[in-house]
Amino acid sequence: MSRRRSRYFVNIYYGKELGSIGEPQAKALGFKILQYVVEKIRKSEPPEKANPEGGLHTGSNGLAYTFLHLSRRFNSIGDSSKATQYFELAKNYWRVPLALAEQDDDSYDKAFLLGDSGSISVGAVLAKMAGDENRAFLLAARYRNTAMCFQPNDSDEFFVGRAGFLAGALWLNREFGGDQIIHVEIMHEIARQIVRSGKDYSRTKGCPCPLMYWYYRKEYLGAAHGLSSILHMLIQVPNFLDSDREVENTVRASVNYLLSHENLSGNYPASMDKVSRGRRVHEEDELVQWCHGAPGIVYLMAAAYLRWNDSRYLETCLRAGELVWKKGLLRKGPGICHGVAGGGYVFLLLYRLTSDNMYLQRAVKFAEFLTSEEFRKEARTPDAPYSLFEGWAGTACFLADLMEPNKAAFPFMDVFP
Protein backbone atom coordinates (compact mmCIF):
# COMPACT_ATOMS: atom_id res chain seq x y z
CA MET A 1 0.00 0.00 0.00
CA SER A 2 1.35 3.42 -0.91
CA ARG A 3 1.88 5.65 2.12
CA ARG A 4 1.23 8.65 -0.08
CA ARG A 5 -2.33 7.51 -0.71
CA SER A 6 -2.99 6.35 2.83
CA ARG A 7 -5.23 8.21 5.27
CA TYR A 8 -2.83 7.45 8.11
CA PHE A 9 0.84 7.51 9.03
CA VAL A 10 2.60 4.17 9.47
CA ASN A 11 2.87 3.32 13.17
CA ILE A 12 6.50 2.29 13.61
CA TYR A 13 5.62 0.68 16.95
CA TYR A 14 2.97 -1.62 15.49
CA GLY A 15 3.77 -5.23 16.40
CA LYS A 16 6.54 -4.22 18.82
CA GLU A 17 6.89 -4.24 22.58
CA LEU A 18 6.66 -0.76 24.10
CA GLY A 19 8.58 -1.29 27.30
CA SER A 20 7.51 -0.01 30.69
CA ILE A 21 5.29 3.07 30.68
CA GLY A 22 3.14 3.70 33.74
CA GLU A 23 0.88 6.45 35.01
CA PRO A 24 3.75 8.64 36.34
CA GLN A 25 5.43 8.66 32.92
CA ALA A 26 2.10 9.30 31.19
CA LYS A 27 1.41 12.21 33.53
CA ALA A 28 4.82 13.77 32.92
CA LEU A 29 4.56 13.43 29.15
CA GLY A 30 0.98 14.70 29.06
CA PHE A 31 1.99 17.75 31.11
CA LYS A 32 5.01 18.52 28.92
CA ILE A 33 3.20 18.34 25.59
CA LEU A 34 0.12 20.09 27.01
CA GLN A 35 2.16 23.19 27.86
CA TYR A 36 3.31 23.37 24.25
CA VAL A 37 -0.23 22.94 22.92
CA VAL A 38 -1.73 25.51 25.30
CA GLU A 39 0.86 28.08 24.28
CA LYS A 40 0.14 27.30 20.64
CA ILE A 41 -3.58 27.93 21.17
CA ARG A 42 -3.11 31.10 23.21
CA LYS A 43 -0.69 32.57 20.68
CA SER A 44 -2.65 31.74 17.53
CA GLU A 45 -6.24 31.88 18.82
CA PRO A 46 -6.32 34.27 21.80
CA PRO A 47 -9.67 34.95 23.48
CA GLU A 48 -10.08 38.35 21.86
CA LYS A 49 -9.61 36.82 18.41
CA ALA A 50 -11.62 33.62 18.81
CA ASN A 51 -14.88 33.42 16.85
CA PRO A 52 -18.00 32.09 18.62
CA GLU A 53 -19.46 30.81 15.35
CA GLY A 54 -19.55 27.03 15.24
CA GLY A 55 -20.71 26.40 18.79
CA LEU A 56 -18.76 23.90 20.85
CA HIS A 57 -17.65 22.11 17.71
CA THR A 58 -15.41 24.73 16.13
CA GLY A 59 -16.19 28.00 17.95
CA SER A 60 -14.70 29.85 20.91
CA ASN A 61 -17.10 28.17 23.33
CA GLY A 62 -15.38 24.88 22.55
CA LEU A 63 -12.16 26.52 23.71
CA ALA A 64 -13.99 27.61 26.85
CA TYR A 65 -14.92 23.97 27.45
CA THR A 66 -11.30 22.94 26.90
CA PHE A 67 -9.86 25.33 29.47
CA LEU A 68 -12.65 24.48 31.89
CA HIS A 69 -11.65 20.83 31.49
CA LEU A 70 -7.98 21.68 32.01
CA SER A 71 -8.84 23.69 35.11
CA ARG A 72 -10.74 20.74 36.55
CA ARG A 73 -7.88 18.34 35.75
CA PHE A 74 -5.16 20.52 37.33
CA ASN A 75 -7.31 21.14 40.38
CA SER A 76 -7.72 17.37 40.72
CA ILE A 77 -3.96 16.77 40.67
CA GLY A 78 -3.34 19.56 43.18
CA ASP A 79 -1.93 22.32 40.96
CA SER A 80 -4.15 25.21 42.05
CA SER A 81 -2.08 27.83 40.21
CA LYS A 82 -2.58 26.19 36.82
CA ALA A 83 -6.20 25.45 37.66
CA THR A 84 -6.88 29.13 38.34
CA GLN A 85 -5.01 30.23 35.22
CA TYR A 86 -7.00 27.91 32.98
CA PHE A 87 -10.30 28.79 34.60
CA GLU A 88 -9.69 32.46 33.82
CA LEU A 89 -8.95 31.52 30.22
CA ALA A 90 -12.16 29.50 30.07
CA LYS A 91 -14.17 32.53 31.17
CA ASN A 92 -12.40 34.71 28.61
CA TYR A 93 -13.15 32.32 25.76
CA TRP A 94 -16.85 31.96 26.60
CA ARG A 95 -18.82 34.11 24.16
CA VAL A 96 -22.53 33.96 24.93
CA PRO A 97 -24.50 37.01 26.08
CA LEU A 98 -26.75 36.29 29.03
CA ALA A 99 -29.64 37.62 26.96
CA LEU A 100 -29.44 34.38 25.02
CA ALA A 101 -30.70 32.53 28.06
CA GLU A 102 -33.94 34.51 27.89
CA GLN A 103 -34.58 34.31 24.15
CA ASP A 104 -37.81 32.83 22.94
CA ASP A 105 -37.78 29.41 21.32
CA ASP A 106 -38.03 30.77 17.77
CA SER A 107 -34.68 32.53 17.95
CA TYR A 108 -32.84 29.98 20.11
CA ASP A 109 -30.70 27.36 18.35
CA LYS A 110 -31.20 24.12 20.28
CA ALA A 111 -28.31 22.26 18.59
CA PHE A 112 -25.84 21.00 21.20
CA LEU A 113 -22.50 20.94 19.36
CA LEU A 114 -23.31 23.39 16.57
CA GLY A 115 -25.78 25.76 18.22
CA ASP A 116 -26.62 27.71 21.35
CA SER A 117 -27.50 25.02 23.87
CA GLY A 118 -24.03 23.50 24.23
CA SER A 119 -22.51 26.92 24.76
CA ILE A 120 -25.18 27.67 27.38
CA SER A 121 -24.28 24.46 29.23
CA VAL A 122 -20.62 25.44 29.44
CA GLY A 123 -21.60 28.86 30.75
CA ALA A 124 -23.72 27.27 33.46
CA VAL A 125 -20.78 25.22 34.74
CA LEU A 126 -18.43 28.20 34.55
CA ALA A 127 -20.88 30.26 36.59
CA LYS A 128 -21.27 27.55 39.19
CA MET A 129 -17.50 27.17 39.58
CA ALA A 130 -17.17 30.96 39.90
CA GLY A 131 -19.77 30.98 42.72
CA ASP A 132 -22.34 32.92 40.69
CA GLU A 133 -25.35 30.81 41.61
CA ASN A 134 -27.92 33.14 40.03
CA ARG A 135 -26.24 33.06 36.63
CA ALA A 136 -25.64 29.31 36.90
CA PHE A 137 -29.33 28.73 37.64
CA LEU A 138 -30.46 30.99 34.79
CA LEU A 139 -28.24 29.26 32.23
CA ALA A 140 -29.04 25.76 33.48
CA ALA A 141 -32.76 26.56 33.29
CA ARG A 142 -32.33 27.74 29.70
CA TYR A 143 -30.64 24.46 28.85
CA ARG A 144 -33.42 22.53 30.58
CA ASN A 145 -36.01 24.43 28.57
CA THR A 146 -34.29 23.33 25.36
CA ALA A 147 -36.15 20.05 25.76
CA MET A 148 -39.38 21.85 24.90
CA CYS A 149 -37.93 23.29 21.68
CA PHE A 150 -37.78 19.98 19.84
CA GLN A 151 -40.46 19.35 17.23
CA PRO A 152 -41.63 15.87 16.13
CA ASN A 153 -39.66 15.97 12.87
CA ASP A 154 -36.44 17.31 14.38
CA SER A 155 -33.19 15.37 14.19
CA ASP A 156 -32.19 12.76 16.74
CA GLU A 157 -28.43 12.80 16.11
CA PHE A 158 -25.56 14.04 18.25
CA PHE A 159 -24.53 17.36 16.69
CA VAL A 160 -27.90 19.10 16.39
CA GLY A 161 -30.54 16.68 17.65
CA ARG A 162 -32.01 14.99 20.69
CA ALA A 163 -29.02 12.72 21.39
CA GLY A 164 -26.89 15.84 21.73
CA PHE A 165 -29.35 17.27 24.24
CA LEU A 166 -29.06 14.08 26.31
CA ALA A 167 -25.25 14.22 26.15
CA GLY A 168 -25.32 17.77 27.49
CA ALA A 169 -27.86 16.89 30.16
CA LEU A 170 -25.75 14.00 31.43
CA TRP A 171 -22.66 16.23 31.48
CA LEU A 172 -24.43 19.06 33.29
CA ASN A 173 -25.78 16.77 36.00
CA ARG A 174 -22.31 15.29 36.49
CA GLU A 175 -20.67 18.72 36.66
CA PHE A 176 -23.27 20.05 39.09
CA GLY A 177 -22.51 17.17 41.41
CA GLY A 178 -25.67 15.13 41.13
CA ASP A 179 -28.06 18.02 41.69
CA GLN A 180 -30.20 16.74 38.83
CA ILE A 181 -30.24 20.08 37.06
CA ILE A 182 -31.87 18.26 34.16
CA HIS A 183 -34.49 16.07 35.79
CA VAL A 184 -34.61 12.43 34.83
CA GLU A 185 -38.24 12.77 33.74
CA ILE A 186 -37.18 15.29 31.09
CA MET A 187 -34.42 13.00 29.83
CA HIS A 188 -36.81 10.04 29.75
CA GLU A 189 -39.29 11.98 27.62
CA ILE A 190 -36.57 12.99 25.15
CA ALA A 191 -35.35 9.38 25.06
CA ARG A 192 -38.88 8.11 24.37
CA GLN A 193 -39.15 10.58 21.48
CA ILE A 194 -35.89 9.20 20.08
CA VAL A 195 -37.17 5.63 20.29
CA ARG A 196 -40.49 6.50 18.64
CA SER A 197 -38.71 8.39 15.89
CA GLY A 198 -36.28 5.53 15.24
CA LYS A 199 -39.07 2.94 15.14
CA ASP A 200 -41.18 5.01 12.78
CA TYR A 201 -38.32 5.66 10.39
CA SER A 202 -37.18 2.03 10.41
CA ARG A 203 -40.71 0.76 9.75
CA THR A 204 -41.35 3.30 6.97
CA LYS A 205 -38.08 2.49 5.21
CA GLY A 206 -38.24 -1.25 5.82
CA CYS A 207 -34.92 -1.22 7.64
CA PRO A 208 -33.78 -4.49 9.26
CA CYS A 209 -32.52 -2.57 12.32
CA PRO A 210 -35.31 -1.91 14.88
CA LEU A 211 -34.16 1.70 15.28
CA MET A 212 -32.74 3.78 12.45
CA TYR A 213 -32.20 7.50 11.84
CA TRP A 214 -31.12 9.82 9.06
CA TYR A 215 -29.21 13.06 8.80
CA TYR A 216 -29.17 15.07 5.58
CA ARG A 217 -30.77 12.14 3.73
CA LYS A 218 -28.17 9.63 4.85
CA GLU A 219 -28.44 6.81 7.39
CA TYR A 220 -25.17 7.25 9.24
CA LEU A 221 -23.87 4.64 11.69
CA GLY A 222 -20.96 6.46 13.33
CA ALA A 223 -20.73 8.69 16.38
CA ALA A 224 -20.90 12.11 14.77
CA HIS A 225 -24.30 11.91 13.10
CA GLY A 226 -25.43 8.33 13.34
CA LEU A 227 -26.93 5.36 15.09
CA SER A 228 -24.09 4.57 17.49
CA SER A 229 -24.10 7.81 19.51
CA ILE A 230 -27.91 7.82 19.62
CA LEU A 231 -27.99 4.30 21.07
CA HIS A 232 -25.15 5.22 23.41
CA MET A 233 -27.16 8.07 24.92
CA LEU A 234 -30.26 5.89 25.31
CA ILE A 235 -28.17 3.43 27.33
CA GLN A 236 -26.64 6.20 29.45
CA VAL A 237 -29.87 7.94 30.53
CA PRO A 238 -30.37 6.89 34.18
CA ASN A 239 -33.01 4.16 34.63
CA PHE A 240 -34.45 4.64 31.14
CA LEU A 241 -33.95 1.07 29.97
CA ASP A 242 -34.93 -0.24 33.40
CA SER A 243 -38.30 1.46 33.06
CA ASP A 244 -39.43 -0.42 29.94
CA ARG A 245 -38.30 -3.96 29.07
CA GLU A 246 -39.60 -3.70 25.50
CA VAL A 247 -37.58 -0.54 24.89
CA GLU A 248 -34.50 -2.18 26.38
CA ASN A 249 -34.90 -5.15 24.05
CA THR A 250 -35.32 -2.81 21.07
CA VAL A 251 -32.21 -0.83 21.95
CA ARG A 252 -30.15 -3.97 22.51
CA ALA A 253 -31.36 -5.53 19.24
CA SER A 254 -30.24 -2.34 17.47
CA VAL A 255 -26.81 -2.54 19.13
CA ASN A 256 -26.54 -6.15 18.00
CA TYR A 257 -27.55 -5.21 14.46
CA LEU A 258 -24.73 -2.68 14.34
CA LEU A 259 -22.33 -5.22 15.86
CA SER A 260 -23.22 -7.69 13.10
CA HIS A 261 -21.71 -5.31 10.54
CA GLU A 262 -18.24 -5.20 12.06
CA ASN A 263 -15.78 -6.06 9.31
CA LEU A 264 -12.69 -8.27 9.46
CA SER A 265 -10.42 -5.38 10.46
CA GLY A 266 -12.63 -4.44 13.42
CA ASN A 267 -14.10 -1.40 11.69
CA TYR A 268 -17.67 -0.46 10.76
CA PRO A 269 -19.25 1.01 7.62
CA ALA A 270 -19.91 4.74 7.77
CA SER A 271 -23.53 4.51 6.64
CA MET A 272 -26.27 2.10 5.65
CA ASP A 273 -25.71 2.61 1.92
CA LYS A 274 -22.35 0.87 2.37
CA VAL A 275 -24.19 -2.02 4.05
CA SER A 276 -27.13 -2.35 1.68
CA ARG A 277 -25.00 -2.18 -1.45
CA GLY A 278 -22.42 -4.54 -0.08
CA ARG A 279 -19.67 -2.14 -1.08
CA ARG A 280 -16.13 -3.01 -0.08
CA VAL A 281 -13.97 -0.11 0.99
CA HIS A 282 -10.39 -0.12 -0.23
CA GLU A 283 -7.94 -0.32 2.65
CA GLU A 284 -6.44 3.10 1.95
CA ASP A 285 -9.94 4.64 1.99
CA GLU A 286 -11.15 3.04 5.23
CA LEU A 287 -12.42 5.62 7.74
CA VAL A 288 -10.84 5.02 11.14
CA GLN A 289 -11.97 8.11 13.00
CA TRP A 290 -14.36 9.10 15.79
CA CYS A 291 -16.94 10.63 13.46
CA HIS A 292 -17.16 7.61 11.14
CA GLY A 293 -15.87 4.19 12.16
CA ALA A 294 -14.79 2.09 15.11
CA PRO A 295 -13.07 4.90 17.09
CA GLY A 296 -16.52 6.41 17.72
CA ILE A 297 -18.62 3.25 17.80
CA VAL A 298 -16.33 1.87 20.51
CA TYR A 299 -18.06 4.16 23.06
CA LEU A 300 -21.42 2.58 22.34
CA MET A 301 -19.97 -0.92 22.62
CA ALA A 302 -18.24 -0.05 25.90
CA ALA A 303 -21.52 1.31 27.28
CA ALA A 304 -23.29 -1.84 26.07
CA TYR A 305 -20.71 -4.02 27.80
CA LEU A 306 -21.08 -2.15 31.08
CA ARG A 307 -24.88 -2.40 30.78
CA TRP A 308 -25.29 -6.06 29.79
CA ASN A 309 -21.94 -7.66 30.65
CA ASP A 310 -21.88 -9.44 27.28
CA SER A 311 -18.33 -10.36 26.27
CA ARG A 312 -19.10 -9.73 22.58
CA TYR A 313 -19.23 -6.00 23.26
CA LEU A 314 -15.89 -6.02 25.08
CA GLU A 315 -14.29 -8.10 22.33
CA THR A 316 -15.33 -5.64 19.63
CA CYS A 317 -13.87 -2.82 21.76
CA LEU A 318 -10.56 -4.66 21.92
CA ARG A 319 -10.58 -5.24 18.16
CA ALA A 320 -11.26 -1.54 17.67
CA GLY A 321 -8.19 -0.85 19.78
CA GLU A 322 -6.05 -3.02 17.51
CA LEU A 323 -7.43 -1.27 14.43
CA VAL A 324 -6.65 2.16 15.88
CA TRP A 325 -3.17 1.06 16.89
CA LYS A 326 -2.53 0.12 13.25
CA LYS A 327 -4.40 2.90 11.41
CA GLY A 328 -5.19 5.61 13.95
CA LEU A 329 -2.29 8.01 13.34
CA LEU A 330 -4.46 10.04 11.01
CA ARG A 331 -3.08 12.53 8.53
CA LYS A 332 -6.08 14.85 8.89
CA GLY A 333 -4.60 16.56 11.93
CA PRO A 334 -4.35 16.47 15.72
CA GLY A 335 -8.04 16.62 16.66
CA ILE A 336 -10.48 14.29 18.36
CA CYS A 337 -13.07 14.10 15.56
CA HIS A 338 -10.81 12.85 12.76
CA GLY A 339 -7.28 13.18 14.08
CA VAL A 340 -4.57 11.57 16.20
CA ALA A 341 -6.04 12.56 19.58
CA GLY A 342 -9.33 10.86 18.69
CA GLY A 343 -7.44 7.60 18.33
CA GLY A 344 -5.54 8.26 21.54
CA TYR A 345 -8.82 8.58 23.42
CA VAL A 346 -9.75 5.03 22.36
CA PHE A 347 -6.74 3.73 24.29
CA LEU A 348 -7.64 5.76 27.37
CA LEU A 349 -11.15 4.28 27.23
CA LEU A 350 -9.74 0.75 26.96
CA TYR A 351 -7.33 1.44 29.81
CA ARG A 352 -10.23 2.38 32.07
CA LEU A 353 -12.28 -0.56 30.80
CA THR A 354 -9.62 -3.27 31.22
CA SER A 355 -6.85 -1.82 33.48
CA ASP A 356 -4.40 -3.23 30.93
CA ASN A 357 -1.29 -1.03 30.95
CA MET A 358 -0.70 -1.76 27.26
CA TYR A 359 -3.44 0.71 26.36
CA LEU A 360 -1.91 3.48 28.45
CA GLN A 361 1.40 2.82 26.68
CA ARG A 362 -0.31 3.15 23.31
CA ALA A 363 -1.98 6.41 24.33
CA VAL A 364 1.44 7.76 25.29
CA LYS A 365 2.88 6.84 21.88
CA PHE A 366 0.03 8.65 20.12
CA ALA A 367 0.72 11.72 22.26
CA GLU A 368 4.43 11.55 21.42
CA PHE A 369 3.66 11.34 17.71
CA LEU A 370 1.97 14.75 17.87
CA THR A 371 5.42 16.26 18.48
CA SER A 372 7.21 14.28 15.77
CA GLU A 373 8.82 15.85 12.73
CA GLU A 374 6.81 13.55 10.48
CA PHE A 375 3.52 14.80 11.90
CA ARG A 376 4.62 18.43 11.87
CA LYS A 377 5.63 18.30 8.20
CA GLU A 378 3.02 15.99 6.69
CA ALA A 379 -0.21 16.28 8.71
CA ARG A 380 -2.99 18.38 7.20
CA THR A 381 -4.21 21.58 8.79
CA PRO A 382 -7.90 21.34 9.76
CA ASP A 383 -10.39 24.01 8.73
CA ALA A 384 -10.64 25.06 12.39
CA PRO A 385 -7.10 24.25 13.60
CA TYR A 386 -7.54 25.28 17.25
CA SER A 387 -11.08 24.06 17.85
CA LEU A 388 -12.45 21.46 20.25
CA PHE A 389 -13.41 18.80 17.73
CA GLU A 390 -11.18 19.47 14.73
CA GLY A 391 -8.05 20.97 16.21
CA TRP A 392 -5.64 21.49 19.08
CA ALA A 393 -8.21 22.30 21.79
CA GLY A 394 -9.56 18.75 21.75
CA THR A 395 -5.97 17.50 21.69
CA ALA A 396 -5.34 19.51 24.87
CA CYS A 397 -8.24 17.65 26.51
CA PHE A 398 -6.65 14.32 25.52
CA LEU A 399 -3.25 15.36 26.92
CA ALA A 400 -4.83 16.55 30.17
CA ASP A 401 -6.63 13.23 30.48
CA LEU A 402 -3.34 11.42 29.90
CA MET A 403 -2.25 13.01 33.17
CA GLU A 404 -5.13 11.31 35.02
CA PRO A 405 -6.05 8.32 32.85
CA ASN A 406 -8.40 6.76 35.39
CA LYS A 407 -10.70 9.76 34.88
CA ALA A 408 -10.24 10.16 31.13
CA ALA A 409 -13.30 10.57 28.90
CA PHE A 410 -13.91 11.78 25.36
CA PRO A 411 -15.82 15.09 25.63
CA PHE A 412 -19.52 14.47 26.42
CA MET A 413 -19.19 10.68 25.89
CA ASP A 414 -18.15 9.32 29.28
CA VAL A 415 -19.41 5.74 29.54
CA PHE A 416 -18.68 5.34 33.24
CA PRO A 417 -21.11 6.36 36.03
Side-chain angles (χ1 to χ4, degrees), residues 245-355:
R245 182 58 59 85
E246 181 182 351
V247 167
E248 179 173 21
N249 291 339
T250 299
V251 170
R252 189 170 185 183
S254 300
V255 174
N256 291 340
Y257 176 82
L258 185 54
L259 178 63
S260 73
H261 290 292
E262 179 189 357
N263 66 27
L264 292 177
S265 72
N267 206 13
Y268 291 82
S271 55
M272 282 296 293
D273 63 307
K274 304 296 191 298
V275 173
S276 59
R277 296 176 188 173
R279 293 176 57 187
R280 293 182 60 83
V281 177
H282 293 296
E283 186 176 4
E284 63 269 18
D285 293 327
E286 188 174 29
L287 295 176
V288 184
Q289 43 197 57
W290 172 82
C291 45
H292 303 294
I297 292 175
V298 69
Y299 297 95
L300 164 65
M301 296 302 172
Y305 172 66
L306 294 172
R307 169 72 191 182
W308 293 299
N309 197 31
D310 187 328
S311 62
R312 293 178 301 164
Y313 305 134
L314 176 60
E315 289 162 4
T316 193
C317 290
L318 302 183
R319 289 191 291 270
E322 292 306 306
L323 172 70
V324 173
W325 184 232
K326 182 178 181 181
K327 297 184 178 182
L329 293 175
L330 300 179
R331 292 180 177 273
K332 294 185 77 172
I336 61 175
C337 182
H338 39 252
V340 174
Y345 258 124
V346 172
F347 301 131
L348 292 181
L349 169 69
L350 294 178
Y351 180 64
R352 290 189 68 184
L353 203 61
T354 68
S355 299

Side-chain angles (χ1 to χ4, degrees), residues 173-227:
N173 282 347
R174 187 178 292 116
E175 290 294 316
F176 272 74
D179 292 338
Q180 294 300 303
I181 292 297
I182 313 300
H183 303 301
V184 69
E185 292 83 2
I186 294 174
M187 287 191 280
H188 280 205
E189 178 54 33
I190 292 290
R192 284 191 290 268
Q193 291 174 16
I194 291 174
V195 172
R196 286 196 297 268
S197 174
K199 282 183 174 180
D200 290 345
Y201 182 87
S202 182
R203 183 174 58 252
T204 300
K205 297 295 182 179
C207 181
C209 185
L211 299 175
M212 185 52 65
Y213 306 87
W214 67 283
Y215 182 72
Y216 279 101
R217 302 186 183 282
K218 201 157 191 174
E219 296 164 351
Y220 287 107
L221 300 177
H225 306 297
L227 180 65

